[in-house]
């Protein structure tokens, strides 16, 4: 059992789909599910959450947890447990769903929604620690700062992912450690968030580096 676990920990980060068609199918499924899920949830949040009915029954943190867990379950089964598509789908949704909420607000009220009250920094410790990611940029379109690196990373990942399994895995392992640090550090104190933003990425990069050299040594 221990040998199987050790083998899995060493091999799984670098085990990729060799069939190009299967890989491309998995990427398409992961992308389109995350895309449409974000649209549906953004609309739901605007019309249902802001109505006051659901928040009175479900705490906001539980609502966010449900939003992420449901997407994890859907992506897990539809992508056959592709870890990179599951986690990067979460990243995609975290940014695009927020944008969809404000697009819905814009359509409903007819008023351009940005700049908006910076609730992100108040709610998420990791946003504050990273320097006020919820602050709007000081020029049109006045979107929150985190949209810019967020969408750049999303576009870069899916370009790599559609290019092939190896480039997809490489992009995922460059992005995921830092994203997990941000995600885990959202609902804690500022000091803990700072520690997590340092420890989580460094720990995962060390793990990947160690596994890479162990695999290389075993093949020699």
């Amino acid at each position: 059992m221990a040998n199987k676990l050790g083998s899995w920990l060493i091999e799984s980060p670098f085990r990729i789909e060799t069939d190009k068609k299967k890989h491309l199918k998995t990427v398409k499924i992961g992308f389109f599910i995350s895309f449409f899920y974000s649209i549906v949830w953004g609309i739901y949040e605007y019309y249902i959450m802001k109505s006051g009915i659901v928040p009175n029954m479900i705490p906001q943190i539980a609502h966010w947890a449900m939003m992420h867990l449901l997407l994890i379950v859907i992506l897990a089964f539809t992508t056959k447990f592709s870890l990179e598509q599951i986690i990067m789908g979460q990243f995609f949704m975290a940014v695009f769903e927020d944008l969809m909420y404000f697009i819905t607000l814009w359509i409903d009220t007819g008023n351009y929604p940005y700049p908006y009250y910076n609730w992100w920094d108040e709610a998420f410790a990791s946003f504050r620690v990273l320097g006020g990611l919820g602050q709007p940029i000081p020029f049109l379109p006045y979107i929150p700062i985190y949209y810019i690196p967020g969408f750049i990373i999303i576009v870069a990942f899916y370009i790599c992912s559609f290019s092939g399994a190896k480039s997809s895995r490489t992009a995922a392992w460059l992005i995921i450690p830092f994203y997990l640090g941000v995600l885990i550090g959202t609902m804690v104190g500022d000091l803990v968030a700072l520690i997590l933003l340092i420890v989580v990425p460094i720990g995962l990069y060390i793990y990947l580096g160690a596994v890479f050299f162990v695999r290389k040594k075993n093949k020699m």
Side-chain angles (χ1 to χ4, degrees):
M1 184 67 179
N3 289 337
K4 287 184 178 180
L5 178 60
S7 177
W8 182 83
L9 288 172
I10 291 172
E11 295 298 328
S12 60
F14 298 94
R15 188 182 293 121
I16 61 173
E17 176 60 69
T18 55
D19 188 314
K20 292 182 179 179
K21 289 184 178 179
K22 287 184 178 179
H23 168 74
L24 189 58
K25 181 180 178 181
T26 300
V27 176
K28 287 179 178 178
I29 290 171
F31 174 81
F32 284 111
I33 284 177
S34 301
F35 180 82
F36 288 111
Y37 183 92
S38 300
I39 293 174
V40 171
W41 205 275
I43 295 171
Y44 160 80
E45 275 212 315
Y46 179 75
Y47 284 108
I48 304 300
M49 289 302 291
K50 289 303 177 183
S51 70
I53 299 172
V54 175
N56 290 333
M57 298 185 293
I58 304 173
Q60 183 65 66
I61 190 169
H63 171 75
W64 286 329
M66 181 175 66
M67 178 175 68
H68 281 277
L69 287 172
L70 181 58
L71 181 58
I72 287 173
V73 171
I74 294 171
L75 287 175
F77 284 101
T78 56
T79 65
K80 297 181 179 179
F81 296 89
S82 170
L83 186 61
E84 66 198 57
Q85 296 302 326
I86 292 170
I87 297 179
M88 289 307 300
Q90 296 289 312
F91 188 105
F92 186 6
M93 186 269 293
V95 183
F96 188 51
E97 183 274 337
D98 190 82
L99 175 62
M100 284 308 306
Y101 172 92
F102 286 101
I103 289 176
T104 306
L105 186 155
W106 188 3
I107 293 171
D108 183 48
T109 64
N111 298 318
Y112 185 68
Y114 301 113
Y116 194 76
Y117 163 64
N118 181 18
W119 66 269
W120 298 271
D121 286 359
E122 288 189 4
F124 306 134
S126 50
F127 275 45
R128 294 192 298 271
V129 171
L130 287 170
L133 291 181
Q135 294 286 347
I137 60 174
F139 49 83
L140 280 172
Y142 302 114
I143 55 176
I145 291 172
Y146 84 91
Y147 278 16
I148 298 173
F151 280 114
I152 289 174
I153 290 170
I154 288 165
V155 171
F157 169 73
Y158 282 108
I159 287 174
C160 291
S161 206
F162 276 101
S163 297
K166 187 175 288 187
S167 59
S168 178
R169 184 59 55 85
T170 300
W173 280 126
L174 287 172
I175 298 165
I176 287 173
F178 184 71
Y179 168 61
L180 289 179
V182 174
L183 182 62
I184 296 170
T186 54
M187 297 298 173
V188 296
D190 287 16
L191 179 58
V192 177
L194 176 60
I195 293 170
L196 289 170
L197 283 167
I198 296 171
V199 171
V200 173
I202 290 177
L204 287 174
Y205 287 135
I206 289 174
Y207 161 65
L208 290 171
V211 167
F212 175 79
F213 284 110
V214 167
R215 292 180 74 256
K216 190 174 181 181
K217 185 179 179 180
N218 289 343
K219 289 182 179 180
M220 290 177 63

